[in-house]
Amino acid sequence: MTAHVEPQDDFKVQRVASVLRHSVTENIRNAILVGRFRPGERLPERDLCEMTGVSRTLVREALRQLESEGLILVIPHRGPVVARLSPEQARGIYQVREELEGLACELFAEHATQAQLTALRKALEALKRTLPKGTALQQLAAKNAFYQQLLDGAGNEALTNSLHLLNSRVMLLRSTSIQAPGRSKHSIAELTELLQALEARDGKAARAAARRHVRNAADVAIKILQESLQSESAD
């Protein structure tokens, strides 16, 4: 299923010299994540330059970074294309994510400050406001902000770094699952349950709630990937 790209999703890069390279990479990454470019689709440099408003040099640097993240592939005689995640690859990513995010939630319950808990609560409220009516890009940003607050409160650098290594592919799957009909409502309910466990400082309950949330998201995303694969085979 392809995310709906709203006209207000703007991928033009703000020209601040110190962050320009990062911004180009981030904007191309976001364009992929919200479905501006589909899995298997070519990424012509000319189109990316027009989309971001920057030079080919910056676009090429961004593409190298996205290739290292596994979000794109560079194919001989075709150039860069958006990577396809197979159902098997997705299942493996979700298995790792389930363990890591479960641990993150347990650590958050045990170690987060009251200020960090308040920030997480606000991030969830922002997510509740964004999911029903926000654009695909806004929805993804709100979900990522919630998880960043969660990792900050967990306070484990090695855990955060491990999840960041998977970050682009996790976000790609997150953008896949969140667009499924009815998934947003269920996701909010699951995260609300998780927050309740965190507020109670119940690490084991928080870990269990986080794992259920990831498993439910996995079921949705893998089903979408399988249906997409079957549809392409039929064509």
Side-chain angles (χ1 to χ4, degrees):
M1 177 177 295
T2 302
H4 178 58
V5 183
E6 299 288 348
Q8 58 264 46
D9 284 340
D10 184 5
F11 301 101
K12 290 289 184 185
V13 171
Q14 299 301 310
R15 289 182 174 275
V16 180
S18 62
V19 298
L20 188 56
R21 183 180 306 173
H22 171 78
S23 296
V24 175
T25 305
E26 185 79 1
N27 286 22
I28 296 175
R29 183 191 294 113
N30 285 339
I32 293 170
L33 295 176
V34 302
R36 174 77 174 262
F37 300 102
R38 295 167 58 89
E41 185 175 348
R42 291 183 64 247
L43 296 166
E45 288 182 3
R46 179 178 177 180
D47 292 353
L48 296 178
C49 290
E50 291 178 358
M51 183 186 78
T52 58
V54 301
S55 68
R56 289 196 177 211
T57 298
L58 284 169
V59 164
R60 288 169 183 166
E61 291 175 354
L63 290 175
R64 282 195 290 271
Q65 173 62 33
L66 296 175
E67 182 184 14
S68 73
E69 296 174 9
L71 201 55
I72 71 169
L73 301 172
V74 177
I75 300 175
H77 310 301
R78 284 198 71 199
V81 301
V82 180
R84 295 177 182 270
L85 283 179
S86 70
E88 292 74 21
Q89 288 174 312
R91 189 172 289 108
I93 291 169
Y94 275 114
Q95 286 173 341
V96 174
R97 184 184 156 196
E98 181 180 332
E99 296 298 327
L100 293 179
E101 290 187 13
L103 175 58
C105 289
E106 185 170 1
L107 292 174
F108 187 103
E110 295 172 354
H111 303 298
T113 65
Q114 190 58 43
Q116 288 170 327
L117 184 57
T118 298
L120 185 68
R121 190 182 300 116
K122 289 180 179 179
L124 181 57
E125 290 302 317
L127 182 60
K128 289 179 180 178
R129 293 191 300 269
T130 304
L131 283 185
K133 298 179 181 179
T135 68
L137 191 59
Q138 290 167 342
Q139 291 172 356
L140 192 60
K143 199 75 181 282
N144 290 341
F146 175 85
Y147 279 101
Q148 187 57 55
Q149 292 293 344
L150 188 60
L151 290 174
D152 289 346
N156 186 306
E157 183 181 1
L159 173 61
T160 298
N161 290 340
S162 296
L163 276 168
H164 281 170
L165 289 174
L166 290 172
N167 195 44
S168 287
R169 290 187 164 198
V170 167
M171 286 196 296
L172 185 59
L173 291 170
R174 186 173 291 151
S175 67
T176 299
S177 65
I178 207 171
Q179 298 302 318
R183 178 57 195 158
S184 293
K185 181 179 179 180
H186 291 300
S187 181
I188 287 296
E190 292 159 10
L191 293 177
T192 299
E193 179 187 9
L194 169 60
L195 181 62
Q196 290 169 349
L198 294 172
E199 289 176 327
R201 300 293 183 172
D202 188 336
K204 291 184 178 178
R207 185 170 193 152
R211 295 185 67 174
R212 280 194 299 274
H213 174 64
V214 174
R215 284 197 298 269
N216 290 339
D219 289 343
V220 172
I222 291 170
K223 182 180 179 182
I224 291 172
L225 292 174
Q226 289 172 333
E227 290 174 350
S228 177
L229 197 61
Q230 291 168 359
S231 176
E232 290 175 5
S233 298
D235 292 342

